[in-house]
PDB file of all heavy atoms in Angstrom:
ATOM      1  N   ASN A 655     -11.325  36.383  14.924  1.00  0.00           N
ATOM      2  CA  ASN A 655     -11.294  35.017  15.484  1.00  0.00           C
ATOM      3  C   ASN A 655     -10.198  34.869  16.537  1.00  0.00           C
ATOM      4  O   ASN A 655      -9.583  33.812  16.684  1.00  0.00           O
ATOM      5  CB  ASN A 655     -11.062  33.994  14.364  1.00  0.00           C
ATOM      6  CG  ASN A 655     -12.111  34.065  13.273  1.00  0.00           C
ATOM      7  OD1 ASN A 655     -13.282  34.323  13.556  1.00  0.00           O
ATOM      8  ND2 ASN A 655     -11.689  33.856  12.042  1.00  0.00           N
ATOM      9  N   GLY A 656      -9.938  35.960  17.254  1.00  0.00           N
ATOM     10  CA  GLY A 656      -8.913  35.930  18.289  1.00  0.00           C
ATOM     11  C   GLY A 656      -7.496  36.032  17.759  1.00  0.00           C
ATOM     12  O   GLY A 656      -6.543  35.986  18.522  1.00  0.00           O
ATOM     13  N   LEU A 657      -7.357  36.167  16.445  1.00  0.00           N
ATOM     14  CA  LEU A 657      -6.029  36.251  15.829  1.00  0.00           C
ATOM     15  C   LEU A 657      -5.711  37.703  15.472  1.00  0.00           C
ATOM     16  O   LEU A 657      -6.593  38.465  15.070  1.00  0.00           O
ATOM     17  CB  LEU A 657      -5.997  35.399  14.557  1.00  0.00           C
ATOM     18  CG  LEU A 657      -6.328  33.919  14.723  1.00  0.00           C
ATOM     19  CD1 LEU A 657      -6.509  33.260  13.353  1.00  0.00           C
ATOM     20  CD2 LEU A 657      -5.220  33.210  15.502  1.00  0.00           C
ATOM     21  N   PRO A 658      -4.460  38.111  15.617  1.00  0.00           N
ATOM     22  CA  PRO A 658      -4.093  39.488  15.253  1.00  0.00           C
ATOM     23  C   PRO A 658      -4.246  39.711  13.754  1.00  0.00           C
ATOM     24  O   PRO A 658      -4.008  38.809  12.946  1.00  0.00           O
ATOM     25  CB  PRO A 658      -2.626  39.592  15.688  1.00  0.00           C
ATOM     26  CG  PRO A 658      -2.131  38.177  15.709  1.00  0.00           C
ATOM     27  CD  PRO A 658      -3.299  37.332  16.123  1.00  0.00           C
ATOM     28  N   ILE A 659      -4.674  40.904  13.377  1.00  0.00           N
ATOM     29  CA  ILE A 659      -4.909  41.228  11.969  1.00  0.00           C
ATOM     30  C   ILE A 659      -3.666  41.858  11.349  1.00  0.00           C
ATOM     31  O   ILE A 659      -3.094  42.793  11.892  1.00  0.00           O
ATOM     32  CB  ILE A 659      -6.090  42.201  11.825  1.00  0.00           C
ATOM     33  CG1 ILE A 659      -7.394  41.537  12.283  1.00  0.00           C
ATOM     34  CG2 ILE A 659      -6.234  42.691  10.376  1.00  0.00           C
ATOM     35  CD1 ILE A 659      -8.581  42.471  12.307  1.00  0.00           C
ATOM     36  N   ASP A 660      -3.261  41.305  10.218  1.00  0.00           N
ATOM     37  CA  ASP A 660      -2.184  41.894   9.422  1.00  0.00           C
ATOM     38  C   ASP A 660      -2.835  42.812   8.389  1.00  0.00           C
ATOM     39  O   ASP A 660      -3.429  42.350   7.430  1.00  0.00           O
ATOM     40  CB  ASP A 660      -1.376  40.786   8.733  1.00  0.00           C
ATOM     41  CG  ASP A 660      -0.288  41.336   7.818  1.00  0.00           C
ATOM     42  OD1 ASP A 660      -0.120  42.571   7.774  1.00  0.00           O
ATOM     43  OD2 ASP A 660       0.373  40.535   7.131  1.00  0.00           O
ATOM     44  N   ALA A 661      -2.736  44.121   8.612  1.00  0.00           N
ATOM     45  CA  ALA A 661      -3.385  45.084   7.718  1.00  0.00           C
ATOM     46  C   ALA A 661      -2.365  45.842   6.879  1.00  0.00           C
ATOM     47  O   ALA A 661      -2.617  46.968   6.460  1.00  0.00           O
ATOM     48  CB  ALA A 661      -4.234  46.062   8.522  1.00  0.00           C
ATOM     49  N   THR A 662      -1.227  45.214   6.623  1.00  0.00           N
ATOM     50  CA  THR A 662      -0.280  45.835   5.701  1.00  0.00           C
ATOM     51  C   THR A 662      -0.803  45.656   4.280  1.00  0.00           C
ATOM     52  O   THR A 662      -1.519  44.701   3.977  1.00  0.00           O
ATOM     53  CB  THR A 662       1.116  45.198   5.816  1.00  0.00           C
ATOM     54  OG1 THR A 662       1.002  43.782   5.572  1.00  0.00           O
ATOM     55  CG2 THR A 662       1.699  45.428   7.202  1.00  0.00           C
ATOM     56  N   GLY A 663      -0.470  46.587   3.412  1.00  0.00           N
ATOM     57  CA  GLY A 663      -0.966  46.523   2.047  1.00  0.00           C
ATOM     58  C   GLY A 663       0.100  46.904   1.045  1.00  0.00           C
ATOM     59  O   GLY A 663       1.223  47.258   1.401  1.00  0.00           O
ATOM     60  N   ASN A 664      -0.261  46.811  -0.226  1.00  0.00           N
ATOM     61  CA  ASN A 664       0.652  47.184  -1.310  1.00  0.00           C
ATOM     62  C   ASN A 664      -0.143  47.904  -2.393  1.00  0.00           C
ATOM     63  O   ASN A 664      -0.952  47.295  -3.080  1.00  0.00           O
ATOM     64  CB  ASN A 664       1.339  45.944  -1.883  1.00  0.00           C
ATOM     65  CG  ASN A 664       2.408  46.308  -2.905  1.00  0.00           C
ATOM     66  OD1 ASN A 664       2.667  47.478  -3.171  1.00  0.00           O
ATOM     67  ND2 ASN A 664       3.028  45.295  -3.496  1.00  0.00           N
ATOM     68  N   MET A 665       0.093  49.216  -2.505  1.00  0.00           N
ATOM     69  CA  MET A 665      -0.562  50.000  -3.547  1.00  0.00           C
ATOM     70  C   MET A 665       0.323  49.982  -4.787  1.00  0.00           C
ATOM     71  O   MET A 665       0.833  51.000  -5.252  1.00  0.00           O
ATOM     72  CB  MET A 665      -0.796  51.429  -3.042  1.00  0.00           C
ATOM     73  CG  MET A 665      -1.617  52.330  -3.967  1.00  0.00           C
ATOM     74  SD  MET A 665      -3.296  51.768  -4.298  1.00  0.00           S
ATOM     75  CE  MET A 665      -3.128  50.975  -5.897  1.00  0.00           C
ATOM     76  N   ASN A 666       0.524  48.755  -5.302  1.00  0.00           N
ATOM     77  CA  ASN A 666       1.430  48.584  -6.442  1.00  0.00           C
ATOM     78  C   ASN A 666       0.842  49.154  -7.725  1.00  0.00           C
ATOM     79  O   ASN A 666      -0.377  49.239  -7.885  1.00  0.00           O
ATOM     80  CB  ASN A 666       1.783  47.098  -6.625  1.00  0.00           C
ATOM     81  CG  ASN A 666       0.542  46.216  -6.775  1.00  0.00           C
ATOM     82  OD1 ASN A 666      -0.507  46.507  -6.226  1.00  0.00           O
ATOM     83  ND2 ASN A 666       0.683  45.128  -7.504  1.00  0.00           N
ATOM     84  N   ASP A 667       1.719  49.569  -8.608  1.00  0.00           N
ATOM     85  CA  ASP A 667       1.326  50.078  -9.934  1.00  0.00           C
ATOM     86  C   ASP A 667       0.264  51.166  -9.834  1.00  0.00           C
ATOM     87  O   ASP A 667      -0.733  51.153 -10.569  1.00  0.00           O
ATOM     88  CB  ASP A 667       0.840  48.930 -10.816  1.00  0.00           C
ATOM     89  CG  ASP A 667       1.976  47.993 -11.220  1.00  0.00           C
ATOM     90  OD1 ASP A 667       3.095  48.158 -10.683  1.00  0.00           O
ATOM     91  OD2 ASP A 667       1.761  47.117 -12.063  1.00  0.00           O
ATOM     92  N   VAL A 668       0.489  52.103  -8.943  1.00  0.00           N
ATOM     93  CA  VAL A 668      -0.494  53.165  -8.719  1.00  0.00           C
ATOM     94  C   VAL A 668      -0.652  54.057  -9.953  1.00  0.00           C
ATOM     95  O   VAL A 668      -1.741  54.556 -10.226  1.00  0.00           O
ATOM     96  CB  VAL A 668      -0.120  54.005  -7.473  1.00  0.00           C
ATOM     97  CG1 VAL A 668       1.186  54.758  -7.690  1.00  0.00           C
ATOM     98  CG2 VAL A 668      -1.239  54.984  -7.115  1.00  0.00           C
ATOM     99  N   GLU A 669       0.417  54.216 -10.720  1.00  0.00           N
ATOM    100  CA  GLU A 669       0.338  55.094 -11.884  1.00  0.00           C
ATOM    101  C   GLU A 669      -0.163  54.368 -13.134  1.00  0.00           C
ATOM    102  O   GLU A 669      -0.855  54.937 -13.956  1.00  0.00           O
ATOM    103  CB  GLU A 669       1.702  55.738 -12.172  1.00  0.00           C
ATOM    104  CG  GLU A 669       2.273  56.540 -11.007  1.00  0.00           C
ATOM    105  CD  GLU A 669       1.383  57.692 -10.563  1.00  0.00           C
ATOM    106  OE1 GLU A 669       0.462  58.082 -11.304  1.00  0.00           O
ATOM    107  OE2 GLU A 669       1.598  58.205  -9.448  1.00  0.00           O
ATOM    108  N   GLN A 670       0.198  53.094 -13.249  1.00  0.00           N
ATOM    109  CA  GLN A 670      -0.227  52.340 -14.437  1.00  0.00           C
ATOM    110  C   GLN A 670      -0.086  50.841 -14.187  1.00  0.00           C
ATOM    111  O   GLN A 670       0.956  50.381 -13.721  1.00  0.00           O
ATOM    112  CB  GLN A 670       0.631  52.742 -15.647  1.00  0.00           C
ATOM    113  CG  GLN A 670       0.205  52.070 -16.941  1.00  0.00           C
ATOM    114  CD  GLN A 670       1.043  52.535 -18.122  1.00  0.00           C
ATOM    115  OE1 GLN A 670       1.759  53.525 -18.033  1.00  0.00           O
ATOM    116  NE2 GLN A 670       0.962  51.812 -19.228  1.00  0.00           N
ATOM    117  N   ILE A 671      -1.136  50.091 -14.479  1.00  0.00           N
ATOM    118  CA  ILE A 671      -1.112  48.644 -14.333  1.00  0.00           C
ATOM    119  C   ILE A 671      -0.013  48.057 -15.223  1.00  0.00           C
ATOM    120  O   ILE A 671       0.103  48.407 -16.401  1.00  0.00           O
ATOM    121  CB  ILE A 671      -2.470  48.022 -14.728  1.00  0.00           C
ATOM    122  CG1 ILE A 671      -3.541  48.401 -13.703  1.00  0.00           C
ATOM    123  CG2 ILE A 671      -2.365  46.511 -14.861  1.00  0.00           C
ATOM    124  CD1 ILE A 671      -3.378  47.750 -12.355  1.00  0.00           C
ATOM    125  N   GLY A 672       0.786  47.190 -14.637  1.00  0.00           N
ATOM    126  CA  GLY A 672       1.816  46.505 -15.405  1.00  0.00           C
ATOM    127  C   GLY A 672       3.186  47.143 -15.346  1.00  0.00           C
ATOM    128  O   GLY A 672       4.147  46.605 -15.907  1.00  0.00           O
ATOM    129  N   GLU A 673       3.321  48.278 -14.615  1.00  0.00           N
ATOM    130  CA  GLU A 673       4.628  48.932 -14.567  1.00  0.00           C
ATOM    131  C   GLU A 673       5.569  48.274 -13.569  1.00  0.00           C
ATOM    132  O   GLU A 673       6.777  48.514 -13.583  1.00  0.00           O
ATOM    133  CB  GLU A 673       4.481  50.423 -14.258  1.00  0.00           C
ATOM    134  CG  GLU A 673       3.934  50.724 -12.870  1.00  0.00           C
ATOM    135  CD  GLU A 673       3.775  52.225 -12.606  1.00  0.00           C
ATOM    136  OE1 GLU A 673       4.127  53.016 -13.507  1.00  0.00           O
ATOM    137  OE2 GLU A 673       3.325  52.588 -11.513  1.00  0.00           O
ATOM    138  N   GLY A 674       5.021  47.418 -12.686  1.00  0.00           N
ATOM    139  CA  GLY A 674       5.862  46.641 -11.775  1.00  0.00           C
ATOM    140  C   GLY A 674       6.479  47.430 -10.644  1.00  0.00           C
ATOM    141  O   GLY A 674       7.587  47.117 -10.188  1.00  0.00           O
ATOM    142  N   VAL A 675       5.772  48.431 -10.132  1.00  0.00           N
ATOM    143  CA  VAL A 675       6.285  49.251  -9.031  1.00  0.00           C
ATOM    144  C   VAL A 675       5.501  48.958  -7.762  1.00  0.00           C
ATOM    145  O   VAL A 675       4.277  49.103  -7.724  1.00  0.00           O
ATOM    146  CB  VAL A 675       6.186  50.750  -9.366  1.00  0.00           C
ATOM    147  CG1 VAL A 675       6.637  51.599  -8.179  1.00  0.00           C
ATOM    148  CG2 VAL A 675       7.013  51.075 -10.601  1.00  0.00           C
ATOM    149  N   ASP A 676       6.208  48.529  -6.700  1.00  0.00           N
ATOM    150  CA  ASP A 676       5.569  48.257  -5.416  1.00  0.00           C
ATOM    151  C   ASP A 676       5.482  49.531  -4.578  1.00  0.00           C
ATOM    152  O   ASP A 676       6.381  50.375  -4.606  1.00  0.00           O
ATOM    153  CB  ASP A 676       6.350  47.205  -4.637  1.00  0.00           C
ATOM    154  CG  ASP A 676       6.171  45.806  -5.213  1.00  0.00           C
ATOM    155  OD1 ASP A 676       5.053  45.506  -5.668  1.00  0.00           O
ATOM    156  OD2 ASP A 676       7.140  45.028  -5.212  1.00  0.00           O
ATOM    157  N   ASN A 677       4.386  49.644  -3.843  1.00  0.00           N
ATOM    158  CA  ASN A 677       4.210  50.746  -2.887  1.00  0.00           C
ATOM    159  C   ASN A 677       3.625  50.180  -1.595  1.00  0.00           C
ATOM    160  O   ASN A 677       2.437  50.326  -1.320  1.00  0.00           O
ATOM    161  CB  ASN A 677       3.261  51.816  -3.459  1.00  0.00           C
ATOM    162  CG  ASN A 677       3.931  52.734  -4.453  1.00  0.00           C
ATOM    163  OD1 ASN A 677       4.802  53.519  -4.088  1.00  0.00           O
ATOM    164  ND2 ASN A 677       3.539  52.628  -5.705  1.00  0.00           N
ATOM    165  N   PRO A 678       4.465  49.507  -0.792  1.00  0.00           N
ATOM    166  CA  PRO A 678       3.948  48.925   0.451  1.00  0.00           C
ATOM    167  C   PRO A 678       3.529  50.008   1.439  1.00  0.00           C
ATOM    168  O   PRO A 678       4.114  51.093   1.466  1.00  0.00           O
ATOM    169  CB  PRO A 678       5.139  48.121   0.974  1.00  0.00           C
ATOM    170  CG  PRO A 678       6.338  48.759   0.360  1.00  0.00           C
ATOM    171  CD  PRO A 678       5.900  49.263  -0.974  1.00  0.00           C
ATOM    172  N   TYR A 679       2.514  49.700   2.228  1.00  0.00           N
ATOM    173  CA  TYR A 679       2.075  50.640   3.269  1.00  0.00           C
ATOM    174  C   TYR A 679       1.589  49.855   4.482  1.00  0.00           C
ATOM    175  O   TYR A 679       1.178  48.695   4.374  1.00  0.00           O
ATOM    176  CB  TYR A 679       0.988  51.581   2.740  1.00  0.00           C
ATOM    177  CG  TYR A 679      -0.313  50.915   2.361  1.00  0.00           C
ATOM    178  CD1 TYR A 679      -1.353  50.764   3.277  1.00  0.00           C
ATOM    179  CD2 TYR A 679      -0.530  50.432   1.059  1.00  0.00           C
ATOM    180  CE1 TYR A 679      -2.541  50.156   2.936  1.00  0.00           C
ATOM    181  CE2 TYR A 679      -1.729  49.834   0.702  1.00  0.00           C
ATOM    182  CZ  TYR A 679      -2.731  49.700   1.640  1.00  0.00           C
ATOM    183  OH  TYR A 679      -3.918  49.087   1.298  1.00  0.00           O
ATOM    184  N   ASN A 680       1.632  50.504   5.633  1.00  0.00           N
ATOM    185  CA  ASN A 680       1.263  49.842   6.889  1.00  0.00           C
ATOM    186  C   ASN A 680      -0.078  50.305   7.449  1.00  0.00           C
ATOM    187  O   ASN A 680      -0.686  49.602   8.243  1.00  0.00           O
ATOM    188  CB  ASN A 680       2.346  50.079   7.948  1.00  0.00           C
ATOM    189  CG  ASN A 680       3.675  49.447   7.565  1.00  0.00           C
ATOM    190  OD1 ASN A 680       3.736  48.264   7.271  1.00  0.00           O
ATOM    191  ND2 ASN A 680       4.732  50.248   7.555  1.00  0.00           N
ATOM    192  N   THR A 681      -0.499  51.500   7.079  1.00  0.00           N
ATOM    193  CA  THR A 681      -1.747  52.059   7.613  1.00  0.00           C
ATOM    194  C   THR A 681      -2.527  52.742   6.493  1.00  0.00           C
ATOM    195  O   THR A 681      -1.979  53.062   5.443  1.00  0.00           O
ATOM    196  CB  THR A 681      -1.465  53.100   8.710  1.00  0.00           C
ATOM    197  OG1 THR A 681      -0.809  54.228   8.108  1.00  0.00           O
ATOM    198  CG2 THR A 681      -0.592  52.521   9.820  1.00  0.00           C
ATOM    199  N   ILE A 682      -3.810  52.993   6.749  1.00  0.00           N
ATOM    200  CA  ILE A 682      -4.636  53.710   5.786  1.00  0.00           C
ATOM    201  C   ILE A 682      -4.128  55.142   5.570  1.00  0.00           C
ATOM    202  O   ILE A 682      -4.113  55.619   4.428  1.00  0.00           O
ATOM    203  CB  ILE A 682      -6.119  53.689   6.209  1.00  0.00           C
ATOM    204  CG1 ILE A 682      -6.681  52.260   6.092  1.00  0.00           C
ATOM    205  CG2 ILE A 682      -6.945  54.652   5.365  1.00  0.00           C
ATOM    206  CD1 ILE A 682      -6.577  51.659   4.695  1.00  0.00           C
ATOM    207  N   PRO A 683      -3.696  55.860   6.610  1.00  0.00           N
ATOM    208  CA  PRO A 683      -3.098  57.179   6.346  1.00  0.00           C
ATOM    209  C   PRO A 683      -1.896  57.107   5.407  1.00  0.00           C
ATOM    210  O   PRO A 683      -1.680  58.033   4.606  1.00  0.00           O
ATOM    211  CB  PRO A 683      -2.695  57.671   7.745  1.00  0.00           C
ATOM    212  CG  PRO A 683      -3.715  57.050   8.650  1.00  0.00           C
ATOM    213  CD  PRO A 683      -3.926  55.673   8.068  1.00  0.00           C
ATOM    214  N   GLU A 684      -1.112  56.024   5.463  1.00  0.00           N
ATOM    215  CA  GLU A 684       0.012  55.874   4.536  1.00  0.00           C
ATOM    216  C   GLU A 684      -0.491  55.636   3.112  1.00  0.00           C
ATOM    217  O   GLU A 684       0.058  56.179   2.141  1.00  0.00           O
ATOM    218  CB  GLU A 684       0.923  54.725   4.977  1.00  0.00           C
ATOM    219  CG  GLU A 684       1.740  55.026   6.218  1.00  0.00           C
ATOM    220  CD  GLU A 684       2.629  53.865   6.621  1.00  0.00           C
ATOM    221  OE1 GLU A 684       2.875  52.966   5.781  1.00  0.00           O
ATOM    222  OE2 GLU A 684       3.076  53.835   7.778  1.00  0.00           O
ATOM    223  N   LEU A 685      -1.544  54.841   2.962  1.00  0.00           N
ATOM    224  CA  LEU A 685      -2.154  54.638   1.654  1.00  0.00           C
ATOM    225  C   LEU A 685      -2.666  55.966   1.112  1.00  0.00           C
ATOM    226  O   LEU A 685      -2.509  56.273  -0.078  1.00  0.00           O
ATOM    227  CB  LEU A 685      -3.304  53.634   1.746  1.00  0.00           C
ATOM    228  CG  LEU A 685      -4.180  53.473   0.490  1.00  0.00           C
ATOM    229  CD1 LEU A 685      -3.354  53.008  -0.704  1.00  0.00           C
ATOM    230  CD2 LEU A 685      -5.336  52.518   0.752  1.00  0.00           C
TER     231      LEU A 685
END
């Protein structure tokens, strides 16, 4: 819609749900 896309993400709790660990990433290769 003419607006820049914020495609940052957070692969939090990658090892186990509920462990409370953040894993921010900026690109799909980083994910």
